[in-house]
Amino acid sequence: MAGTDYKLDTEVKGKKTLLYMYGTILDQKPEKDFWTGEPVEMECIYPKQVRDIVQEIKTDEVELHINSNGGSVFASISIGNYLKSTGKKITSVIDGIAASGAAIIAMCGEEVKMNSNSQMMIHNAATFGFGNAKTLRKIADDLEEIDKSVLNTFKARFKGTDEELAELLDGETFMSADKALELGFCDEIITEKKEETNDDEEVKEDENIEDKITNENKFLNGFVNLINGGIK
């Protein structure tokens, strides 16, 4: 939530708690604005915040609703690992988008569900760099090591080889729910249910129509006979 509390929304439904992870993933609670000294107004997710709120959840099942473009890779990995360690049954549900670090968190679910119009995006680690050639080479080497951690997060679910997964990460790949299901990143697609027509009602309606037509035909025949009887 925006404001100084940065409290994630929760909702209890029966035997499970819905936990909404909407916003940017950060390493820690945002500092005050440098220029104004006022609290930073933004929706955000960070490890301590997640730990604090999950420890308050009384149900054994948690439905984790996600809509986030990601953020810190290390915060994302730690949040996902923490959620898996709680002993609670975690189900991840992607409401809008689970991109980058948010996709990493989504993988903590025993089941991952996506709304039919939602998206998932995975990619390798990225950063900004400044320095001489040696410094920049080290940054590149470090990123490659971090990429191995990212790949390991997704490989347990991915239906393919490590090389194929690496290509998806290299390509900063966006996936529809259908594509994510095909590749193994989600288990179920949530679709809107159409109203089902009762077959018995259809049969009854057809019978009513037939009766109506029969009655109208009888009336017309009777009317024609009456007219014919009056014509000599």
Side-chain angles (χ1 to χ4, degrees), residues 80-94:
N81 287 339
Y82 168 72
L83 290 170
K84 285 190 291 186
S85 74
T86 61
K88 296 181 182 295
K89 181 182 177 181
I90 308 290
T91 300
S92 300
V93 180
I94 300 174

Side-chain angles (χ1 to χ4, degrees), residues 27 35 65 71 80 83 85 112 119 126 141 160 171 182 192-193:
D27 290 309
W35 299 107
H65 287 257
L83 290 170
S85 74
V112 179
Q119 287 272 318
D141 291 340
E182 176 188 336
E192 292 184 12
K193 292 183 179 180

Side-chain angles (χ1 to χ4, degrees), residues 127 134-147:
T127 190
K134 289 183 178 180
T135 301
L136 294 177
R137 284 194 192 97
K138 184 180 185 309
I139 291 173
D141 291 340
D142 291 343
L143 286 174
E144 286 182 348
E145 288 301 311
I146 297 169
D147 290 342

Side-chain angles (χ1 to χ4, degrees), residues 151-219:
L151 186 143
N152 283 333
T153 302
F154 294 108
K155 69 182 294 183
R157 283 185 161 272
F158 179 60
K159 296 177 180 178
T161 65
D162 287 1
E163 291 73 20
E164 291 169 333
L165 177 55
E167 287 181 8
L168 293 175
L169 291 165
D170 285 339
E172 193 170 293
T173 304
F174 279 81
M175 292 171 278
S176 66
D178 289 331
K179 188 67 174 178
L181 181 66
E182 176 188 336
L183 295 176
F185 296 122
C186 89
D187 304 295
E188 180 182 333
I189 297 174
I190 302 169
T191 56
E192 292 184 12
K193 292 183 179 180
K194 296 181 180 179
E195 282 190 31
E196 295 182 1
T197 305
N198 190 308
D199 292 339
D200 293 337
E201 289 182 0
E202 285 186 352
V203 171
K204 188 175 180 181
E205 182 66 24
D206 291 341
E207 291 175 349
N208 290 338
I209 292 173
E210 290 177 2
D211 290 342
K212 187 176 180 181
I213 292 172
T214 300
N215 291 333
E216 288 179 352
N217 287 337
K218 288 180 180 179
F219 173 78

Side-chain angles (χ1 to χ4, degrees), residues 56-74:
E56 295 176 359
I57 292 176
K58 305 301 182 185
T59 61
D60 292 330
E61 295 185 33
V62 176
E63 193 171 271
L64 186 62
H65 287 257
I66 299 172
N67 184 40
S68 170
N69 286 309
S72 166
V73 62
F74 296 123

Side-chain angles (χ1 to χ4, degrees), residues 14-91:
K15 295 182 179 180
K16 64 184 176 183
T17 299
L18 280 57
L19 171 59
Y20 294 89
M21 283 193 178
Y22 285 17
T24 303
I25 302 165
L26 306 174
D27 290 309
Q28 58 189 4
K29 183 175 180 178
E31 298 293 337
K32 292 182 179 180
D33 185 275
F34 179 80
W35 299 107
T36 66
E38 297 296 323
V40 178
E41 296 292 329
M42 63 185 297
E43 288 189 316
C44 60
I45 306 156
Y46 53 94
K48 185 179 185 305
Q49 168 208 48
V50 174
R51 292 196 307 272
D52 289 345
I53 197 162
V54 171
Q55 287 168 7
E56 295 176 359
I57 292 176
K58 305 301 182 185
T59 61
D60 292 330
E61 295 185 33
V62 176
E63 193 171 271
L64 186 62
H65 287 257
I66 299 172
N67 184 40
S68 170
N69 286 309
S72 166
V73 62
F74 296 123
S76 302
I77 290 172
S78 68
I79 289 170
N81 287 339
Y82 168 72
L83 290 170
K84 285 190 291 186
S85 74
T86 61
K88 296 181 182 295
K89 181 182 177 181
I90 308 290
T91 300

